[in-house]
């Protein structure tokens, strides 16, 4: 309730690469005040050259945060590519795949880590807000005359606190010293990029069973449900177990 977080996500690898280099401009217009649309919409330039942090800012965190290390490698690394026998066409394909991989990994790490997102120039926190106002944020290249990249924009009502949906009705199927936890994530893709599962033997103290978030990697195009399944081993078949 004290801030608005803006998450940037360039739509294509080439756009991401170009904006990493030239930076973003991020501006804010006050559109609404006390439920009244303003005729004169005050503008504030929040950032004129917003871009990934310099290498030295990453170094203290790379050793302690895997997601920061992934983002740093995606943005700065020299060996983020597939192996191939050298030929001109394979080199071209490899370079395309490399850039796509860097882009995907960086955006994914930014979904999971606010620190990685901030260092990557993909997360901005606006603390200069008022609950009775509504803001339009516009994001475009810091050098717009040189890049025909479409601007991004989003409207945010500062007085509205976002309440996200909970994963509903998780199921557990038990076998011989194994449990399979599953849940429907069909309608949750716009809220969550990954999930942790926690386990308890007393219903009070829980521990995570997966170190890396579980992420759905497919989508349903036929309108059906998409379930995530995760197996967990059990010490015995006669002990009560809780999952969340």
């Amino acid at each position: 309730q004290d801030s608005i977080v803006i998450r940037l996500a360039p739509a294509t690898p080439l756009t991401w690469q170009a904006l990493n280099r030239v930076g973003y401009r991020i501006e804010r217009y006050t559109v609404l005040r006390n439920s009244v649309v303003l005729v004169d919409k005050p503008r504030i330039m929040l950032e004129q050259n917003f871009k990934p942090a310099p290498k030295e800012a990453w170094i203290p965190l790379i050793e302690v945060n895997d997601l920061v290390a992934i983002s740093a490698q995606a943005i700065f690394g020299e060996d983020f590519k597939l192996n191939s026998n050298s030929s001109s066409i394979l080199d071209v394909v490899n370079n395309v795949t490399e850039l796509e991989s860097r882009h995907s990994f960086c955006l994914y790490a930014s979904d999971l880590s606010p620190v990685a997102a901030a260092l990557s120039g993909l997360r901005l926190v606006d603390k200069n807000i008022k609950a009775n106002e509504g803001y339009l944020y516009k994001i475009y290249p810091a050098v717009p005359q040189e890049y025909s990249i479409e601007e991004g924009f989003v409207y945010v009502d500062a007085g509205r606190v976002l309440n996200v949906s909970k994963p509903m009705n998780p199921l557990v199927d038990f076998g011989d010293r194994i449990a399979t936890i599953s849940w429907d994530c069909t309608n949750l893709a716009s809220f969550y990029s990954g999930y942790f599962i926690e386990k308890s033997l007393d219903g009070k103290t829980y521990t995570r069973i997966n170190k890396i978030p579980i992420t759905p990697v497919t989508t349903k195009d036929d309108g059906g449900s998409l379930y995530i399944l995760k197996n967990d081993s059990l010490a015995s078949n006669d002990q009560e177990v809780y999952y969340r």
Side-chain angles (χ1 to χ4, degrees), residues 54-68:
K55 290 181 181 180
E56 54 268 23
W58 295 72
I59 293 172
L61 294 165
I62 286 175
E63 296 298 327
V64 297
N65 188 320
D66 290 343
L67 294 167
V68 169

Side-chain angles (χ1 to χ4, degrees), residues 1 25 42 53 75 217-218 220:
Q1 299 184 32
R25 285 191 182 187
I75 294 172
V217 293
T218 59
K220 295 289 285 187

Side-chain angles (χ1 to χ4, degrees), residues 1-169:
Q1 299 184 32
D2 66 344
S3 61
I4 292 172
V5 178
I6 303 298
R7 260 301 314 280
L8 290 62
T12 69
L14 286 173
T15 300
W16 171 72
Q17 185 182 56
L19 292 171
N20 281 347
R21 184 170 62 253
V22 304
Y24 307 81
R25 285 191 182 187
I26 305 175
E27 58 187 26
R28 189 191 82 186
Y29 294 82
T30 303
V31 176
L32 200 72
R33 183 176 294 138
N34 296 324
S35 301
V36 177
V37 177
L38 301 180
V39 177
D40 182 21
K41 300 172 178 60
R43 182 181 77 105
I44 296 176
M45 182 66 72
L46 298 177
E47 291 285 348
Q48 295 198 55
N49 190 19
F50 191 63
K51 60 173 60 176
K55 290 181 181 180
E56 54 268 23
W58 295 72
I59 293 172
L61 294 165
I62 286 175
E63 296 298 327
V64 297
N65 188 320
D66 290 343
L67 294 167
V68 169
I70 288 171
S71 296
Q73 177 70 2
I75 294 172
F76 301 111
E78 297 297 328
D79 54 351
F80 213 89
K81 60 178 65 178
L82 305 177
N83 294 322
S84 72
N85 295 321
S86 184
S87 79
S88 57
I89 186 63
L90 278 178
D91 285 343
V92 170
V93 172
N94 261 346
N95 287 333
V96 170
T97 304
E98 174 194 358
L99 181 57
E100 290 174 348
S101 297
R102 288 175 182 260
H103 174 240
S104 298
F105 276 109
C106 187
L107 291 189
Y108 180 64
S110 294
D111 276 355
L112 300 178
S113 167
V115 178
L119 288 169
S120 299
L122 298 177
R123 183 180 192 269
L124 177 71
V125 180
D126 181 9
K127 289 186 173 290
N128 183 24
I129 67 169
K130 296 179 180 179
N132 65 330
E133 294 182 337
Y135 306 111
L136 178 71
Y137 293 88
K138 293 177 66 174
I139 304 166
Y140 52 95
V143 191
Q145 64 271 22
E146 295 184 16
Y147 291 87
S148 57
I149 296 173
E150 186 177 352
E151 69 180 23
F153 59 90
V154 62
Y155 174 80
V156 183
D157 182 346
R160 178 177 172 267
V161 179
L162 180 65
N163 294 310
V164 296
S165 298
K166 296 179 180 179
M168 299 298 291
N169 303 321

